[in-house]
Amino acid sequence: MARKTFFIAGTDTDVGKTLVAAGLLVAAKQQGLTTAALKPLAAGCEKTDAGFRNADALLLQSVITEPLVYEQINPIALASAIAPHIAAQQEKRILSADRIAGFCRGSLNQADFTLVEGAGGWRVPLNPQETLADVVKILRLPVILVVGVRLGCINHALLTVEAIRNDGLQLAGWVANCIDADMPVLQENIHSLAARIPAPCLGVVPWLDNAAPEAVANALDAEVLAQLFSA
């Protein structure tokens, strides 16, 4: 089986990219694959004795099979939980797509299934000229989109899908993550998304009181994932 790497994008911030990514990694491990994950840029890190650490990157590290050190997973750790380019400005650091892509290249192709998780939505700025999407374009990674299912999600999803395709990238699949416990006409929204997104739905993750990667993995479509892993 050829080694696969995908970029995990979200329709917005706080839509569950990391949790869904962790669920995908658990599902891949359940199918006998070795796994790795990167979150090359993270804004919102706590200072520890070992350095700045991001909770999302730590979650990814906890579920992968390959022994990547933290700095491989999250080479750029910014303290403030704000837009990354603003957090970088506050720390007098310069973000560039080439540099971030270079960090990623050093840790790719070490596992059967690797995920590279973004930060925020598709057009998150890095600097006055570039966005995080430029990193994905440099690496030419197919994209898995996490749709945070709440009011407004159809518009957010379709605009993101349009942007991904306009950037010349492949949308490999998408996951509906139900982040609103009281979402009205939930199934109708999911059906509307499925009818309009030109890629397979990898699963619908229900509202989970105690969300865990294993619960997300159980909500994913094993047959569709098998096709993704082997394509």
Side-chain angles (χ1 to χ4, degrees), residues 194-210:
R196 290 166 173 81
I197 297 178
C201 179
L202 306 180
V204 176
V205 180
W207 167 260
L208 299 169
D209 286 324
N210 296 305

Side-chain angles (χ1 to χ4, degrees), residues 52 134 191:
F52 282 101
D134 289 300
H191 292 158

Side-chain angles (χ1 to χ4, degrees), residues 31-177:
Q31 297 204 20
L33 304 181
T34 59
T35 61
L38 310 175
K39 189 175 178 68
L41 174 63
C45 302
E46 292 188 6
K47 189 173 183 179
T48 72
D49 291 340
F52 282 101
R53 294 291 184 263
N54 173 263
D56 291 344
L58 290 171
L59 176 60
L60 295 175
Q61 187 179 36
S62 73
V63 298
I64 59 177
T65 67
E66 301 307 285
L68 299 183
V69 300
Y70 182 86
E71 288 75 15
Q72 288 177 282
I73 296 169
N74 176 215
I76 302 176
L78 302 170
S80 298
I82 57 178
H85 70 297
I86 299 174
Q89 288 171 4
Q90 291 182 348
E91 297 183 23
K92 302 188 185 314
R93 300 175 68 175
I94 297 174
L95 301 179
S96 77
D98 274 334
R99 186 164 179 261
I100 295 172
F103 283 133
C104 292
R105 285 195 187 98
S107 299
L108 297 181
N109 299 316
Q110 296 191 29
D112 299 324
F113 181 72
T114 301
L115 296 180
V116 180
E117 186 193 332
W122 187 250
R123 292 286 184 227
V124 167
L126 297 177
N127 54 54
Q129 292 79 36
E130 296 178 310
T131 72
L132 196 55
D134 289 300
V135 176
V136 194
K137 291 163 69 175
I138 291 169
L139 296 173
R140 302 301 305 169
L141 295 179
V143 180
I144 296 173
L145 179 63
V146 178
V147 178
V149 180
R150 59 188 175 200
L151 187 63
C153 66
I154 296 174
N155 179 64
H156 290 167
L158 297 184
L159 286 174
T160 305
V161 168
E162 181 180 327
I164 292 168
R165 300 183 77 191
N166 286 345
D167 282 340
L169 296 166
Q170 176 197 358
L171 181 64
W174 63 284
V175 176
N177 186 32

